[in-house]
Amino acid sequence: LTAGSHAIKWEYSKDGSVNSLSDAAWVDKVEFIPAGGGSTNFTPALETGFNLLGNSLNTTLDVMSIFGNQTSPVSGVSNNIASVWKWDAANGNWQFHSPLLSTSANASFAASKGYAVLTSIVPGEGYWVNALSAFSLPVQSGTAFTYNGVNFATLISGFNLIATATTATPSQFNISVSATPPSPGVVPVDNFYS
């Protein structure tokens, strides 16, 4: 489709060969991927102190490639970040990485505190970055990641820090991740617990 407004119409017509069951068609999901394969660029701008970020790209973020450490620093990044944290819902503990430490010092510190070493951030995961100064991380590129009823259902029960590329109200997000789409005007009440 070209830029601008468009009217799109779905039609269902009955051929009369079978006359049973629902005798209808449903459209469950409509997704428009922008030209160029849907690639998007994201440049995280950090403030001094803790920043809550999320991987809303459909690619796994390699922590060492983005943040580095003292064994393998990333220019302009490693000395500006105190630590990076991610909650591991499957194991019920935090994962930790500090660009200010060497590879072995990261492993030792994490083990001494009962943390795991943070190596990757998969699509849809949220994470914390403790920045020593305000600056922007390098550009991250990929296709947009969005939660739906299928991938949302794979989350571990309990606390999860998640990210999605969609801009939706909490009610719209709640409806979009329902395993069974509700009737119009009905908001599901079984997706989230507090």
Side-chain angles (χ1 to χ4, degrees):
L1 295 174
T2 59
S5 297
H6 297 277
I8 298 174
K9 181 179 176 182
W10 283 265
E11 253 183 56
Y12 169 80
S13 61
K14 176 77 176 98
D15 67 4
S17 65
V18 177
N19 197 13
S20 64
L21 301 173
S22 295
D23 223 6
W26 291 269
V27 176
D28 287 335
K29 182 178 180 181
V30 177
E31 186 173 354
F32 294 97
I33 306 297
S39 184
T40 186
N41 293 327
F42 175 63
T43 306
L46 304 177
E47 297 296 327
T48 302
F50 277 96
N51 296 262
L52 178 58
L53 300 175
N55 180 8
S56 57
L57 299 175
N58 224 346
T59 186
T60 298
L61 302 179
D62 180 89
V63 172
M64 279 296 296
S65 295
I66 296 171
F67 300 102
N69 67 16
Q70 294 307 297
T71 306
S72 182
V74 173
S75 179
V77 175
S78 297
N79 289 332
N80 289 313
I81 302 289
S83 57
V84 185
W85 300 83
K86 179 182 87 168
W87 177 249
D88 180 353
N91 294 305
N93 69 341
W94 286 98
Q95 293 183 2
F96 165 86
H97 175 78
S98 176
L100 299 177
L101 301 176
S102 67
T103 301
S104 60
N106 263 297
S108 295
F109 179 80
S112 75
K113 302 294 183 185
Y115 307 143
V117 174
L118 175 59
T119 59
S120 63
I121 301 162
V122 300
E125 285 186 324
Y127 60 104
W128 290 94
V129 175
N130 186 2
L132 299 172
S133 62
F135 76 104
S136 292
L137 290 172
V139 174
Q140 299 168 8
S141 299
T143 57
F145 174 83
T146 57
Y147 274 101
N148 57 44
V150 175
N151 59 17
F152 186 79
T154 65
L155 290 173
I156 303 295
S157 181
F159 177 78
N160 289 277
L161 187 54
I162 63 174
T164 186
T166 58
T167 53
T169 66
S171 291
Q172 290 168 331
F173 180 76
N174 190 14
I175 290 167
S176 73
V177 298
S178 293
T180 305
S183 301
V186 175
V187 175
V189 295
D190 60 346
N191 288 328
F192 299 95
Y193 302 96
S194 58

